Amino acid sequence: MLKILAIGDVCGPCGLETLRRKLNQVKAQTGADLVVVNDFVSRGYLIIKTAADLGCKTFVHISFERHLGITTIAQRQANSKQRCEELGVKYVEATAPDPTGDAGVTGAQAWVTENIKVYVDQYGKDTAFFSTNCSLQVPLIQQCAELGAVYSQQCCPSPYHGYPSAFNISTEGHEGDVPYMLEQIKAKVAEYGNTGRMSTWEVPVNMVMIEAGFNYAEKWIKGEITERCDEAALLKEIQAIAGDAASITKYADEASGEIANFFMILCPFYDF
């Protein structure tokens, strides 16, 4: 039996320390042969590079105390700060209400609706916004489109995260049709006159991990893949879905060193 663990989000309340414990537990209990997750390390740098490519001169990082206490988010934030300094982009921290607090999701979303214009008035339209929370993506996308600001990526990159709801795009009859969704988002961004100022990944990363993992396992069962943990074969399956520009790297840190079967996925950006 081949066992593949696809982790959809490492920015939840566990953080890296708990993630390490969970991975060790998973390995002990299930003997996972492959672990796959989105590349939260590299994204800290690439979110800023993409924002700069889209015309950003100021980058506003929107979060709250609970999220900033999570190691993975803090690491991505530190990488973003570093890249801002390297590219000469002004880095600004903004504190939104925690959606799990008294204000709830509605209050946190209202903060976005009310305050993004304040930042655009202060720093200009060449300001990029990024939020660490999923529930803030819809109003943030709406405000960036309406105000002509820059939006380089969601917290969890996917054409289906935030954009369809923000732009009222129906998927009826086009379920799972990624090229259709990309075309629809691009057309909506153009309607706002914000072409070339908004972006995401061109594939939904969670679906890539699931489909690539299934295809890998199927080929292993058939004997077409002979190693339980074959990095080259895994990359081939990922690129077959996400394109040749997709890449994987092994996760490593000072505490654990390099983990031989823990791969981070990075997929191509798509600018609207």
Side-chain angles (χ1 to χ4, degrees), residues 172-205:
E172 186 176 354
H174 296 277
E175 294 81 358
D177 188 343
V178 176
Y180 169 83
M181 181 55 64
L182 292 172
E183 291 173 4
Q184 293 301 304
I185 297 171
K186 189 171 186 176
K188 290 290 185 179
V189 172
E191 288 179 14
Y192 283 98
N194 210 30
T195 296
R197 307 273 285 177
M198 307 185 78
S199 185
T200 186
W201 278 8
E202 65 180 29
V203 291
V205 63

Side-chain angles (χ1 to χ4, degrees), residues 48 62 67 69 74 88 118 122-123 139 142 171 175 179 185 193 196-197 270:
I48 304 302
I62 303 169
H67 261 195
V118 175
Q122 180 176 359
Y123 297 110
Q142 290 171 333
T171 60
E175 294 81 358
I185 297 171
R197 307 273 285 177
Y270 185 96

Side-chain angles (χ1 to χ4, degrees), residues 112-174:
V112 171
T113 301
E114 295 166 3
N115 285 275
I116 298 307
K117 186 179 186 305
V118 175
Y119 285 102
V120 171
D121 288 344
Q122 180 176 359
Y123 297 110
K125 291 186 176 183
D126 291 336
T127 301
F129 294 90
F130 175 83
S131 171
T132 65
N133 185 261
C134 291
S135 66
L136 301 189
Q137 302 306 313
V138 171
L140 187 55
I141 289 170
Q142 290 171 333
Q143 289 299 301
C144 287
E146 292 174 6
L147 298 171
V150 176
Y151 181 85
S152 59
Q153 195 175 103
Q154 310 97 318
C155 53
C156 307
S158 166
Y160 293 98
H161 187 24
Y163 277 109
S165 295
F167 293 150
N168 195 29
I169 300 172
S170 173
T171 60
E172 186 176 354
H174 296 277

